[in-house]
Every structure is written in C-alpha cells, then in structure tokens.
Amino acid sequence: MVTKRKIELLAPGGDVDSIKAAILAGANAVYCGLDQFNARNRAVNISFEELQGILHLAHSRNCEVFLTLNIIIIEREIPALIGLLNKLVNTSIDGVIVQDLGMLYLLRKYFKSLTIHASTQLTTHNEGQIKFLSKLSANRVNLSRELNIHEIKHLTSAAHENNVLTEVFVHGSNCISFSGLCYFSSVLSGNSGNRGRCSQPCRDQYKTTAAGKEYPLNLKDNSAFFDLKELYDAGVDSLKIEGRIKKYDYVYTVVDVWRKQLDTFYSQSKVGTDDSLLYKVFNRAFSNTLLKGEISKSMFIDNPRDHSIKHLSEINLYASADEVEAGQLKLYQEKEEIKAMVEGKINQVSAKKAPLQIHLSGECGSPLKVSVKTPDAGFDIFSECNLFDKGTEVLTEAMILKRFKAFNDTEYFIEELNLEGIKAAVYISFKELTSLKKKILFILNGSKETIAPVTLPTIKNREKEMHKPRLSVLISSEKEVFLTDKTKADIYFQLPNSFKDKCSHYAELFAKNKSLIPYFPSVIIGEDYTAAVEFLKQLKPKLIVTNNTGIAYKAYQLGIDWIAGPQINIVNSYSLLSLKEDFNCSGAFISNELTKNQIQAVKAPADFKLHYSIYHPIVLMTSRQCLFHQVTACEKNRVDDTCIQQCEKSSSITNLKNDSFLIEKSKGNYHTIYNQNNFLNTDILNDLPYVFSSFMIDLRDVKTESKLLVSKSEVIQLFENLLNGKADSETKVKKVIQSTTNQQYKKGI
C-alpha cells in the first residue's frame, strides 16, 4: 500500500488553555500571539514567559508552534520589534507569521534563523505574489480564502516550484472582504484590522434592506470538512483552523473532529460523513461554496450569533415550542459536558516552564563540575580551568544566580541551585563562568548556539525635496483620457480586476496614449493575472503603479519602472528599503491610515520617491461575493463570469447609527463598499512640506455623497494651484468638493 503524505493540521490558540486543548486534540501545529504585534487583540494572548512553557509542552508532544506577528508595524515600534526578535531567535519557535513588508525585510536580512510564514493578511492569490514572497524568504504562504480548489491547486504547484509551502483555511469564520484589504473598522472607529483591532462592522445589524435582510454582510462559517480529498489532491501542505478568540472547548472539539477525519483518510482512503460535533460548538452554519467555486447567496446567513440550536431544530424537525426547549436544554447540557471533559484533560498537563536542578561541586585544584537535571534528562559540564583558592570574588549562590540568570529566559527556570559539593572557599574567573553558561545554554536550546542581539544601523534622513510636488490624477473611464492633453499632471488609468477578455483593447488604448500610466488594482486572480502579465509584455510601459505585489514582481522581472500603490499600505522605512533593494521599486504611496507624526517618522531611501493620495473615495472593502444578494435581492443565485465582466450597479446599506455606505459593482471589477464621504487631506501640505514627490487625486466616477461642483478639468487646475502655493487655493478646493473627511489622518493607527 502506498503511504499517503501527511498534511499538517494547524490549530488556533488564543490563550494557554486553548493551546493545550489543540495539542491534546492532535494538532500538528498551533499558531498563537503574544500581547503585542498580532492580529487578534481581542484574544487573551500569551506572555513571552508563557510562550517558553508552551514550546516545551508542544515539542514534547511533536507539535510545532508558530507565532503570529501579523500586523503592519509603524516606525516607532521598530525598536520593540527588534527587541522581541532578538529574544525569539534564541527560542525553539518553529515559525513566525508575518504581514508587514518591512518585517519581512528585517527577518530576511538580520534574523535568518527564523522561518517565515506569509500571513493571510498579505492576500496571496496569484503566482506572482508567491514569487514576490519567496524572494523575501517566505517558507510558506496562506492562500486567500476566496480561492476555489482549482486556483488553490495551481498556486500550490507554483509555490512548490519556488520551494514554498501552502496552507488553506478549512474551518471557522469567513471574512467578507479580501483579508488585508479591509479598512471598514479603521475608517469607522479608528480600529484598524491591519493592526489586529477589527471591530467587525460586517457582523453588525443594518437597517432592513430591500431584500429583507438585517445582517447583509454576515457570512456563514467556512467548512471544508467534506473536501479533504480535493485539498489533498491539490497538494496543500497545511489545513488551518480559524479561531484565536474561541475558547478551549471549541478548539478541542474542532481539532479532534478534523484529526479523526485525517486519520480516517490516511488509513481507509475515504472521507468521513459525520460532522455533527462541529454543530455543537459555536457556528454560524457552514458553507464550502468558495472552495467549490460556487459563489452564491447561500453563503450568507442573516444572524451572526450561534446557529447550533437552529441547526438542531432543523435536523430534528421539532414541531412545538416544548420540543425546541427540550432540544435546547439537551444541547446546552452536551456543551457543558464537552467543556467539562476538555477542562479535565487540559488540567492534567502543564504548559509552564520546566524546572532545572543545578548542582555544583569541586575543590581547589580541580575543575568545577556543573550537574544540570531537567524533567527529561541530565548532563554534566566541567570548567576548562581548575578552581583557585584566591581571586576576585568567592564562588557563592548569589554569584552563580547572577551569571546563570539567562537560563530563566529559556523554556526552563532554575528551581534549585545547590552548592553543597563546594567544600571550601574557591574562586573561578568570570570568563570561565560565561563559558559554562554558554555550554549549558547550547544544550538547553537544543544544541543551538546563542545568537547575539542585533542592533540595526541608523537609517539616515535623506535631503528634503525642495521642488514643488507633482500632481497625479486617477481615472478609470476611457472618455476621460482626453485629460492627458489638458494638464501636465500624471494621468493614471485604473485597470479592472478582470480584463482577460479585453487585454488587447487596453494594450491598444495605452499604445495610442503614450502618456497614460497603467494603474493596477489590488486583486488579480487566475486567468486575469495571466492576462495582466501578457499586457505588460505586450505594452512594455515605461512606468506603472500597482497595488498588487504579483504585478510588482513581474514589473521587476521585466525591468519596468514601478510605484507601489496605496493599497500595499506602506507604514515604515524598512518596507521602503525592501521595495527598493529587492524589487527595484522607484517610489511608493504612504498609507492613508497614518497620522502626521506617523508619516514624519518614515524615512525614504535615496533616489526613492514618496507619493500620497490626497483625495479619493475611501474603499472600505473589496469582496468576491455578490453583495447585492442580501441588499437588493439580485435575480441571479450565484456569481458567474458574466457577472464580473458585465454587471454594473450600485446600492447602499445603512447601519443603526445612520451611517450609509455605497456598494458598487462596475464592469470587470469585484464588489466594493465605499465610505459615504471621500477622503480629502489638504492639511498634509502644510504639515509635511518637501516630503512627497507627488500627490494623487482620484477622480473616478464613484457615486459617494461627496460631490464635485465643477468639472474635473477645473478640479485638476485647482489642485495644481494648491500644489504651487497659489493664494486661496485650499479654500477653493474645499468649496468645490463637498462632504469629505480626513479622520484617518487625524486618528492614525
């Protein structure tokens, strides 16, 4: 019989008990976060000391531990991050999960012993992005949840060709937005999802829509329980369970069910059919339609709360309220029994650091013997020099504790220090004690040398750009290409998410209008990515702007000058260094989530231009789902290719605070939700003079509540006057553009 390859089962751990539950239930690996730098601030999370104990427990049971560092890192946090990484390199951590490009750069350059996993927040959905991340030394990528099994298989093959592993979410909450591209929480409350503070406005109640829904953005939970064979055949390396804010009973139950499913598949080559236990812990009902490539209205559920009792009612066909109540009581009892069972199991194991017993013995004229005993083993270390009867400081317990305190920073702690074997006052050099400490640490750290702390070289401030910044203008309608003849501003033309059927058309458009600059969106999947690459090869433009790192990688390969767009969300100097040094990028937009002080701290490399979007409709999220199913009751039950290419409509939803949000679907694009008011930030011109090489205004026809009272040509002229310092130009700009906000600039992240 052919032995099946084993797929990793990767489980969440939001606190120590949940991590223990995952390990006991049979997870091959757990992912968890510290109380800083991770994307689940609402989880309890763990301390660094608790991490050391968890590592000891997990590794004793053949379970790996991955640490989530999956947020964007602002400049002032870099010293604390380096301090943490200096500690992590001397642990047995099995990998770090990362979103920020600057952190990827730092890990690759200074912390090469740490294995890098690319977070779901990096929205990996095309092979160019995999190559981009591979160049940054990522060992593994989490593929976007929106992908179907054929897309997953293709990308897994591409990943393996580049020595990269793939992981796929198979259970838990679904995000309605492409991960990493959601600014809903950031704009509404200042709680950025890219900082682990998402307040989940997509789960909120809204005023009843025309389709009769109160929770129009609420998706069912993801479950690929019955799709194990397809994932196995696709070559996926890791199956990831979502849920770092879930409790230990949930984690144990889900991991245990999946563990048994995997074991059945390995031993019997079949997939089990009983998922009933998954309905006995929190769920919003389940859907696998993304994986199946059947994006439909069945993915939604008009209730964000636990679906367990409703599911029980449906399968048991309860006929009366009494039957429902009895069933509900039975379910609650079963939940309590599960909780008690798991609690009993986790209380029997310790995730605390392991104790060390250290005994010292020796006499004058002989080597010092240090006997170290752990719960699992023991070993002896001898000094290279003999003990003396005179010296600087007599050997005492306090002296040894001072020199050996580094042992307490490992998976162990000094429980007992015994000097009874030292028969008289003896002396030993500090150098010799340091040598003994290093030898013991080497053994305690799994035969790894202690890595010295890294000190980053100072990034010098470059000379300020004393010339006036340029204006750039973003359009998306071919009817507005004439603007290239009306202004000296750079004109960017936004390409759609999908133009595989119009590749030649767009190539011809740009060939006829040489000054028009291609502007690529953040999401380009499958055949659309192939078409975009072909477009670049055909056109060979002098310059592009891209919000997609897969396109960035191809531009770098083809020697095309490129600018990193605002959706790449650059927030620190090391991200800029990475873009320039690794991908020959010539400039980048700085994130619109930052304040004046946060932007001011960012230092650009030499010969690298900084850009900023000064006026634009605010994208709250981009979604592969049809958002009209729950809002206007779209006549189609599922999304097909003609929907993406041909559908053009808009609507709105309003929350219970009377905030309205525009939902727009334009031809060739995915569904987008926009804030009701556009972003306008003229303050930055006075706050940060001579920082930016150019400022962009987005004049696409997105019908938010912000209004232009004059023509686009006149708006462009007003902004040119503003950048040239013409008197009263700021007042005039604000007068002709009504209903705007710059709250993100004021709040920051």
Side-chain angles (χ1 to χ4, degrees):
M1 185 178 75
V2 177
T3 303
K4 282 186 166 62
R5 69 179 179 89
K6 297 298 174 71
I7 307 178
E8 176 187 270
L9 181 59
L10 177 56
D15 58 27
V16 173
D17 283 346
S18 295
I19 294 167
K20 290 199 290 185
I23 294 169
L24 292 172
N28 300 114
V30 294
Y31 63 103
C32 55
L34 298 174
D35 44 20
Q36 57 179 341
F37 302 130
N38 93 87
R40 285 295 181 273
N41 264 12
R42 291 191 298 143
V44 175
N45 295 312
I46 59 175
S47 67
F48 191 84
E49 182 164 336
E50 287 172 328
L51 174 64
Q52 294 280 27
I54 286 163
L55 288 168
H56 186 78
L57 171 65
H59 292 158
S60 72
R61 293 175 180 254
N62 298 315
C63 180
E64 293 189 311
V65 180
F66 307 138
L67 188 69
T68 55
L69 300 174
N70 54 339
I71 62 169
I72 52 177
I73 308 293
I74 57 176
E75 199 76 19
R76 64 176 171 80
E77 294 172 326
I78 297 294
L81 173 65
I82 296 302
L84 174 60
L85 294 176
N86 277 328
K87 292 165 70 174
L88 283 175
V89 291
N90 289 310
T91 70
S92 59
I93 197 76
D94 298 291
V96 290
I97 303 172
V98 180
Q99 172 186 7
D100 187 83
L101 295 184
M103 195 189 302
L104 283 163
Y105 174 86
L106 291 168
L107 287 166
R108 183 181 61 80
K109 190 159 187 176
Y110 299 106
F111 301 95
K112 296 181 181 180
S113 65
L114 292 175
T115 300
I116 302 169
H117 296 185
S119 167
T120 186
Q121 292 292 103
L122 281 162
T123 330
T124 305
H125 55 264
N126 65 49
E127 59 187 271
Q129 292 174 306
I130 289 172
K131 292 174 181 177
F132 182 95
L133 292 167
S134 175
K135 186 168 172 57
L136 291 174
S137 299
N139 169 266
R140 175 192 297 209
V141 296
N142 180 283
L143 298 179
S144 293
R145 282 176 248 228
E146 288 77 8
L147 300 178
N148 64 47
I149 193 66
H150 304 294
E151 292 161 343
I152 289 169
K153 184 174 183 177
H154 172 73
L155 292 185
T156 296
S157 176
H160 290 170
E161 288 174 6
N162 288 276
N163 298 313
V164 174
L165 304 176
T166 60
E167 67 182 29
V168 172
F169 276 109
V170 295
H171 190 92
S173 296
N174 263 324
C175 287
I176 194 165
S177 172
F178 284 94
S179 296
L181 299 176
C182 184
Y183 302 92
F184 213 157
S185 178
S186 175
V187 173
L188 260 63
S189 61
N191 296 316
S192 174
N194 289 309
R195 298 280 290 167
R197 298 173 184 151
C198 180
S199 58
Q200 295 191 320
C202 57
R203 303 286 184 193
D204 285 350
Q205 184 177 0
Y206 290 78
K207 292 185 178 179
T208 306
T209 67
K213 306 299 181 182
E214 294 183 340
Y215 297 89
L217 304 179
N218 190 60
L219 290 179
K220 292 178 181 177
D221 286 352
N222 171 34
S223 178
F225 186 71
F226 300 118
D227 304 296
L228 175 56
K229 184 179 186 304
E230 288 82 354
L231 289 163
Y232 180 90
D233 291 343
V236 170
D237 300 288
S238 177
L239 307 179
K240 189 170 188 176
I241 297 167
E242 183 275 341
R244 277 197 292 134
I245 59 174
K246 302 293 200 306
K247 297 300 183 183
Y248 57 84
D249 52 320
Y250 174 94
V251 172
Y252 183 92
T253 302
V254 175
V255 174
D256 182 56
V257 171
W258 268 95
R259 176 78 273 153
K260 289 171 180 172
Q261 180 75 305
L262 280 164
D263 290 345
T264 298
F265 180 68
Y266 295 147
S267 62
Q268 301 177 35
S269 296
K270 69 176 186 179
V271 174
T273 58
D274 183 9
D275 66 343
S276 58
L277 276 174
L278 296 177
Y279 284 96
K280 293 185 178 179
V281 291
F282 181 89
N283 69 88
R284 301 182 186 92
F286 296 120
S287 172
N288 67 345
T289 53
L290 283 171
L291 193 66
K292 293 293 187 184
E294 299 170 359
I295 300 172
S296 67
K297 64 182 181 183
S298 67
M299 299 176 63
F300 292 90
I301 183 169
D302 203 39
N303 185 346
R305 290 175 284 277
D306 192 356
H307 184 72
S308 299
I309 188 62
K310 188 170 182 181
H311 172 76
L312 194 68
S313 300
E314 290 170 354
I315 63 171
N316 288 299
L317 301 175
Y318 292 142
S320 68
D322 288 342
E323 287 183 356
V324 171
E325 185 177 350
Q328 189 171 10
L329 180 61
K330 183 181 178 183
L331 176 63
Y332 288 155
Q333 288 173 340
E334 288 178 337
K335 283 176 175 279
E336 288 303 311
E337 288 169 3
I338 291 171
K339 187 175 179 180
M341 180 271 292
V342 178
E343 190 172 352
K345 286 178 178 287
I346 63 178
N347 285 341
Q348 292 177 24
V349 296
S350 173
K352 293 183 178 179
K353 297 204 295 185
L356 288 177
Q357 294 176 340
I358 302 175
H359 289 223
L360 278 70
S361 58
E363 58 186 4
C364 184
S366 67
L368 175 65
K369 178 183 178 182
V370 183
S371 299
V372 181
K373 186 177 180 181
T374 74
D376 307 311
F379 56 89
D380 297 329
I381 298 290
F382 294 87
S383 64
E384 294 182 7
C385 297
N386 293 334
L387 294 167
F388 303 103
D389 58 0
K390 57 184 177 180
T392 306
E393 184 178 350
V394 70
L395 195 64
T396 63
E397 181 176 327
M399 177 189 180
I400 295 297
L401 283 173
K402 183 178 180 180
R403 299 297 165 187
F404 285 3
K405 65 181 180 181
F407 300 165
N408 292 322
D409 295 328
T410 68
E411 296 172 19
Y412 303 88
F413 71 97
I414 300 173
E415 181 183 59
E416 178 187 346
L417 181 61
N418 189 315
L419 275 68
E420 291 179 2
I422 305 295
K423 300 302 182 184
V426 292
Y427 298 81
I428 191 170
S429 70
F430 294 154
K431 181 180 178 182
E432 192 64 35
L433 277 179
T434 299
S435 176
L436 286 168
K437 178 187 73 174
K438 288 181 177 179
K439 290 176 182 177
I440 295 169
L441 281 172
F442 178 79
I443 295 171
L444 294 179
N445 286 333
S447 300
K448 284 170 48 182
E449 294 285 356
T450 300
I451 299 173
V454 168
T455 301
L456 292 183
T458 302
I459 299 178
K460 296 179 181 179
N461 281 312
R462 67 172 186 177
E463 292 184 10
K464 290 186 176 181
E465 301 200 19
M466 303 307 291
H467 58 269
K468 301 286 186 195
R470 287 184 61 80
L471 180 68
S472 57
V473 181
L474 179 62
I475 61 173
S476 60
S477 170
E478 294 179 37
K479 295 178 182 178
E480 293 169 350
V481 172
F482 75 91
L483 291 171
T484 56
D485 299 324
K486 301 291 184 181
T487 176
K488 293 181 180 179
D490 295 322
I491 304 294
Y492 303 147
F493 185 93
Q494 174 150 337
L495 292 158
N497 298 113
S498 174
F499 62 95
K500 60 188 178 185
D501 297 332
K502 299 182 71 176
C503 184
S504 298
H505 171 78
Y506 283 116
E508 185 178 342
L509 173 69
F510 283 95
K512 286 182 178 178
N513 299 275
K514 301 291 187 183
S515 60
L516 204 59
I517 299 169
Y519 185 101
F520 288 87
S522 53
V523 180
I524 311 175
I525 299 173
E527 292 179 0
D528 295 311
Y529 176 72
T530 304
V533 169
E534 186 58 33
F535 168 83
L536 285 177
K537 289 178 178 177
Q538 282 183 32
L539 186 65
K540 295 181 181 175
K542 291 182 179 179
L543 173 68
I544 67 167
V545 180
T546 179
N547 294 283
N548 185 281
T549 54
I551 294 297
Y553 183 83
K554 201 63 194 179
Y556 157 72
Q557 271 194 324
L558 295 172
I560 296 170
D561 198 10
W562 69 281
I563 297 168
Q567 297 270 330
I568 291 181
N569 215 18
I570 299 299
V571 298
N572 61 61
S573 306
Y574 294 95
S575 294
L576 300 178
L577 278 174
S578 177
L579 293 175
K580 182 182 179 185
E581 292 180 12
D582 298 319
F583 302 101
N584 201 30
C585 180
S586 64
F589 280 79
I590 296 298
S591 171
N592 285 106
E593 289 195 274
L594 300 184
T595 64
K596 166 194 167 182
N597 290 337
Q598 290 170 341
I599 294 172
Q600 197 168 30
V602 178
K603 299 171 184 175
D607 301 318
F608 191 91
K609 295 181 179 180
L610 296 184
H611 304 256
Y612 187 81
S613 180
I614 196 172
Y615 172 71
H616 57 263
I618 301 173
V619 174
L620 299 180
M621 68 165 66
T622 302
S623 179
R624 206 175 188 182
Q625 286 80 19
C626 174
L627 301 181
F628 296 105
H629 277 143
Q630 301 293 91
V631 177
T632 59
C634 179
E635 62 276 9
K636 286 188 176 182
N637 287 330
R638 61 187 295 272
V639 175
D640 58 33
D641 200 45
T642 60
C643 296
I644 302 301
Q645 301 298 333
Q646 301 299 326
C647 179
E648 189 173 28
K649 63 174 71 171
S650 64
S651 187
S652 65
I653 53 174
T654 303
N655 66 18
L656 300 187
K657 296 179 181 178
N658 283 321
D659 299 317
S660 293
F661 309 102
L662 170 70
I663 299 175
E664 183 187 81
K665 169 68 182 73
S666 55
K667 289 183 178 181
N669 287 308
Y670 296 119
H671 293 71
T672 304
I673 299 182
Y674 292 95
N675 192 49
Q676 58 186 339
N677 295 324
N678 289 3
F679 180 87
L680 175 63
N681 181 20
T682 56
D683 294 347
I684 198 168
L685 297 173
N686 294 319
D687 290 344
L688 299 171
Y690 310 117
V691 170
F692 293 98
S693 298
S694 81
F695 290 95
M696 183 180 80
I697 58 173
D698 182 346
L699 297 185
R700 293 174 301 142
D701 291 321
V702 178
K703 294 178 174 56
T704 63
E705 293 182 15
S706 296
K707 305 297 180 187
L708 301 181
L709 301 184
V710 295
S711 71
K712 291 183 181 180
S713 295
E714 291 173 285
V715 170
I716 291 170
Q717 184 60 59
L718 285 171
F719 273 100
E720 286 180 330
N721 292 343
L722 178 63
L723 297 188
N724 287 324
K726 193 169 181 179
D728 297 330
S729 55
E730 183 175 2
T731 301
K732 290 178 180 178
V733 164
K734 290 181 176 179
K735 186 176 181 180
V736 302
I737 305 178
Q738 295 188 338
S739 301
T740 61
T741 180
N742 70 346
Q743 281 301 302
Q744 283 178 290
Y745 181 67
K746 292 178 179 178
K747 290 180 180 178
I749 54 176

